[in-house]
């Protein structure tokens, strides 16, 4: 069983919580423990035999090699649940999300306190990820080691697949994967087997069988092999674009702004959400710079 396998990787300090629990600023860590209750985990629409996904690079040339390494690592997991294709578009600073794809961008986003950020639009009613975009902040990363850049890239793409944090203590034993918070990126810059086992729990294994995530499919979303009705109306898109303007500020000020709710806050990361209406939620994960 997928989750029996994952339990072998379980750290006693990991906590499994509902990320949409009570509106309390003192929320415990959002980590991956034994995810037997999959209702708390969002995922892309899929047929239960693995996920086919397009990951789009809107990066500049300096980041392209790091992106390609991260994508290759995620695409060649064992057990294998991901079939990834990549495309490259013109450089984007804003990194606005698009239906059905994961987009990755870089830029100097200023003294925001985060070095990596992932935004996902979530369909709460159907428990689905609708789009994801990741930003790499060169205000901090321009002077970082290549290992730190590789770790951050791998981490933010992992959130795009629906993965939570494995562990949020920088100072304990490294778990050896990029979804672990760490001060030793050289030891945690790639995914590991526990990440791939978790993904099989979300999407099934390529060539295997598992119940599809969404039984009602009516139109194709770009980048995905599964058709699903989009719930992003023009009004939701307008609210999304307005909400993104708030992300230009300092990370720990976000929860004080109207309509935002803080899900997680510690020395190493923050997570926030905003309800955009029509059962669509914007969730933001921030990997903070260890200044």
């Amino acid at each position: 069983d997928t989750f029996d396998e994952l339990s072998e990787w379980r750290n006693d300090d990991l906590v499994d919580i509902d990320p949409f629990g009570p509106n309390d600023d003192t929320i415990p860590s959002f980590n991956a423990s034994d995810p037997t209750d999959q209702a708390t985990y969002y995922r892309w629409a899929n047929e239960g035999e693995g996920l086919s996904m397009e990951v789009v690079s809107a990066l500049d040339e300096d980041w392209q090699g790091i992106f390609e390494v991260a994508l290759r690592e995620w695409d060649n997991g064992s057990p294998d649940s991901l079939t990834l294709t990549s495309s490259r578009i013109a450089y984007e600073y804003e990194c606005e999300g698009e239906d059905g794809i994961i987009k990755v961008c870089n830029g100097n986003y200023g003294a925001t306190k985060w070095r990596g950020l992932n935004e996902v639009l979530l369909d709460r009613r159907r428990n689905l990820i609708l789009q994801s975009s990741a930003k790499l902040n060169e205000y901090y990363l321009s002077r970082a080691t290549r290992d730190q850049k590789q770790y951050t890239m791998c981490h933010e793409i992992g959130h795009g697949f629906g993965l939570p944090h494995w562990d949020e203590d920088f100072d304990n034993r490294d778990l050896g994967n990029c979804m672990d918070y760490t001060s030793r990126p050289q030891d945690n810059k790639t995914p590991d087997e526990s990440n791939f086992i978790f993904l099989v729990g979300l999407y099934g294994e390529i060539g295997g069988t598992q119940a599809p995530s969404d039984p009602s499919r009516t139109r194709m979303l770009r980048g995905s092999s599964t058709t699903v009705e989009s719930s992003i109306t023009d009004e939701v898109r307008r609210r999304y674009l307005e909400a993104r303007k708030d992300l230009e500020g300092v990370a720990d000020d976000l929860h004080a702004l109207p309509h935002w709710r803080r899900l997680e806050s510690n020395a190493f990361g923050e997570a926030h959400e905003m309800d955009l209406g029509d059962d669509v939620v914007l969730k933001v994960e921030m990997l903070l710079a260890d200044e």
Side-chain angles (χ1 to χ4, degrees):
D1 183 89
T2 297
F3 297 121
D4 288 340
E5 294 179 62
L6 185 57
S7 67
E8 296 176 7
W9 295 84
R10 184 175 182 176
N11 183 299
D12 289 340
D13 295 330
L14 301 185
V15 179
D16 182 19
I17 70 165
D18 180 354
F20 296 104
N23 188 5
D24 184 348
D25 282 350
T26 58
I27 293 174
S29 299
F30 175 40
N31 292 316
S33 58
D34 182 10
T36 53
D37 180 8
Q38 291 229 63
T40 61
Y41 294 95
Y42 288 83
R43 81 288 311 274
W44 295 89
N46 70 98
E47 300 285 356
E49 297 183 1
L51 174 69
S52 296
M53 176 58 55
E54 180 182 2
V55 186
V56 177
S57 168
L59 300 155
D60 66 23
E61 188 61 37
D62 290 343
W63 281 91
Q64 192 61 28
I66 293 171
F67 170 80
E68 291 170 359
V69 169
L71 216 61
R72 187 164 59 246
E73 294 283 354
W74 281 115
D75 195 32
N76 290 288
S78 179
D80 191 2
S81 64
L82 300 177
T83 300
L84 304 179
T85 58
S86 65
S87 59
R88 189 175 183 187
I89 61 175
Y91 172 79
E92 283 188 23
Y93 178 86
E94 295 296 338
C95 209
E96 181 181 330
E98 299 180 39
D99 282 9
I101 65 169
I102 299 171
K103 183 187 288 185
V104 187
C105 311
N106 70 286
N108 185 338
Y109 298 105
T112 58
K113 297 190 177 180
W114 54 263
R115 66 169 179 264
L117 178 147
N118 184 279
E119 304 172 19
V120 287
L121 279 189
L122 304 171
D123 183 325
R124 179 177 287 175
R125 179 175 57 85
R126 294 179 296 177
N127 223 44
L128 295 179
I129 300 172
L130 302 173
Q131 63 181 46
S132 171
S133 59
K135 291 180 178 179
L136 306 168
N137 190 353
E138 290 190 333
Y139 183 86
Y140 304 102
L141 289 171
S142 63
R143 55 185 184 269
T145 65
R146 186 175 180 92
D147 286 339
Q148 182 66 264
K149 293 176 180 179
Q150 195 69 61
Y151 164 76
T152 305
M153 175 75 74
C154 180
H155 186 97
E156 300 309 334
I157 291 176
H159 280 317
F161 297 132
L163 293 176
H165 296 132
W166 255 227
D167 180 17
E168 297 182 342
D169 186 341
F170 266 47
D171 300 315
N172 66 353
R173 177 181 60 86
D174 284 327
L175 301 182
N177 72 75
C178 66
M179 301 313 294
D180 178 20
Y181 276 159
T182 183
S183 57
R184 295 169 290 276
Q186 67 274 12
D187 300 324
N188 294 266
K189 60 185 178 182
T190 65
D192 73 0
E193 186 180 1
S194 68
N195 301 143
F196 297 126
I197 291 171
F198 193 102
L199 287 167
V200 169
L202 292 179
Y203 300 114
E205 190 166 3
I206 294 173
T209 58
Q210 181 168 322
S213 65
D214 178 52
S216 59
R217 291 173 283 275
T218 58
R219 82 172 177 85
M220 181 72 76
L221 289 180
R222 174 186 170 194
S224 171
S225 61
T226 301
T227 54
V228 57
E229 182 182 3
S230 176
S231 50
I232 304 177
T233 63
D234 290 344
E235 180 60 20
V236 166
R237 173 65 60 176
R238 184 191 67 78
R239 292 171 184 165
Y240 161 69
L241 295 176
E242 284 296 313
R244 295 184 84 243
K245 295 176 183 178
D246 295 337
L247 302 178
E248 298 170 5
V250 177
D252 49 10
D253 293 340
L254 187 60
H255 74 285
L257 297 177
H259 310 300
W260 284 98
R261 185 163 78 97
R262 182 162 57 187
L263 304 173
E264 170 195 324
S265 181
N266 56 52
F268 315 115
E270 298 211 1
H272 302 261
E273 71 166 12
M274 179 188 285
D275 190 335
L276 301 178
D278 295 336
D279 291 317
V280 177
V281 173
L282 171 61
K283 182 180 178 183
V284 180
E285 299 265 10
M286 299 174 176
L287 182 63
L288 300 185
D290 47 341
E291 296 180 290

